Every structure is written in C-alpha cells, then in structure tokens.
Amino acid sequence: MKILVLGNGFDLDHNLPTSYMDFLNFCNYVLDMDNPDSLKIKKLKPAQIKYAEYLKSCEPIRNTFISYLENNSLINYFNARAKLQGENWIDFEREIKGVVNEFKIIEFELKKSNQCVYRTDKNHKVHQILKQLNPDYVIVYLWDEISLFNVHKSLCKSLNYFCLALEYYISVFINETPIKGVSQDIIDFDANKVLTFNYSDTYERMYGG
C-alpha cells in the first residue's frame, strides 16, 4: 500500500499563499485596509491582492474576517515575533507553545511555593510576552490563581478567533483560488491512501480526492 502524506508544503508547491507570513500579512492588511497610506498591500502576493479587492466589495465577508482579528492579542504577538525574527519566521505553533509554557512555569512555581501569590521580577520573560501581546501592558509582579486564569481565558479567546480567521481564509479564499498545473510526481506515485495535515482541499480539487 502506498500512503501519501501531505503538509502545507503541498499548497505552497501549488503556488498558494498559505505560509504563516502570507496569512499574517493578509491579516495586517485587512485590519488596515481603510488607511489610504497603508503600504502593507506591497507585502501581499498577487492572489492575495485579488482577495483584498474582493473584500472591499463584499462587506459581510470583510466584517466577519475583521471580527476575528480586531483587538486580537495574538496578531500583536505574531507581528512582534516576525519583526524580531524576520520574514523567514514560520512557526505559529512553536510561538504559542512558548507562551503557554511560560505561564505553566509560573503556575507550577505558585503551587510549589504553597503561597497565595508568586512574584516575578521585572526581567522575567513573561513580561516581554505580555508586552508583545498588548503594547499597553503594565507589569504585574504578583501572580495568583485568578490573574493566571484571566490571562488563560484571554489567550484562549484570541487563539479561538485566530483559528477561525485562518479557517475563513482557507475556505473563502484559498479553496477558491484557481491552480495552474498538477504535480506529475503526485500522479506517478499513485497513492492508495492520502493522509493530509492541510486545511485546504487542494488535493481533492486537483487530484480527485
């Protein structure tokens, strides 16, 4: 039996704008598209410029997309990380894991201390993370179960909306983008089964599912 395993590289090989930076740049453009001085559109790929033009003419879709992105702290965080790491930065999952781990450390230290609160100093990494999530963040040195819960709740909400925005981007735009040509290697492989980690339906569209 031949099993074909697909990841996001499959979409990228079909010239679809599905990298992390593609999506983040599009989010930034959508949030700033009413600004006549915005230069963010220069970062968009040709297909994404068509998406942007479509959004301008379709208010319901545009409003839905904006509702997922507006005031989303993860957009702030990913922009800050991309600025530090450059255009080749590619890993949302790793960044999210890093944020979660920092708060798990504080939670662990709080429980281990058997105290009501746990104190962090001003150089603690969690303060840098929170500043990237929210530029207006004021340092909180004392952490208890309630403050940790509130951060957790806020992050989960932002992550949920961010995921919805990505799903919307894939379903409304990527899955409707014309694709030119197929991969002869995929055809020649003649897989019996396909295991895909992609969010798009590119394989089904181009190779008949």
Side-chain angles (χ1 to χ4, degrees), residues 109-110 113-119 141-145:
E109 294 295 339
L110 175 61
S113 70
N114 291 319
Q115 302 294 318
C116 296
V117 296
Y118 175 75
R119 182 179 181 86
Y141 295 105
L142 298 178
W143 296 89
D144 57 18
E145 290 184 358

Side-chain angles (χ1 to χ4, degrees), residues 41-76:
I41 196 168
K42 290 187 176 181
K43 295 183 178 180
L44 300 184
K45 293 182 177 177
Q48 291 178 299
I49 294 175
K50 292 182 179 180
Y51 306 160
E53 292 172 349
Y54 177 68
L55 276 183
K56 288 180 178 179
S57 64
C58 189
E59 189 171 345
I61 290 179
R62 175 186 175 183
N63 289 342
T64 299
F65 207 88
I66 288 176
S67 71
Y68 297 144
L69 302 176
E70 206 165 33
N71 301 316
N72 191 312
S73 60
L74 281 178
I75 298 292
N76 297 331

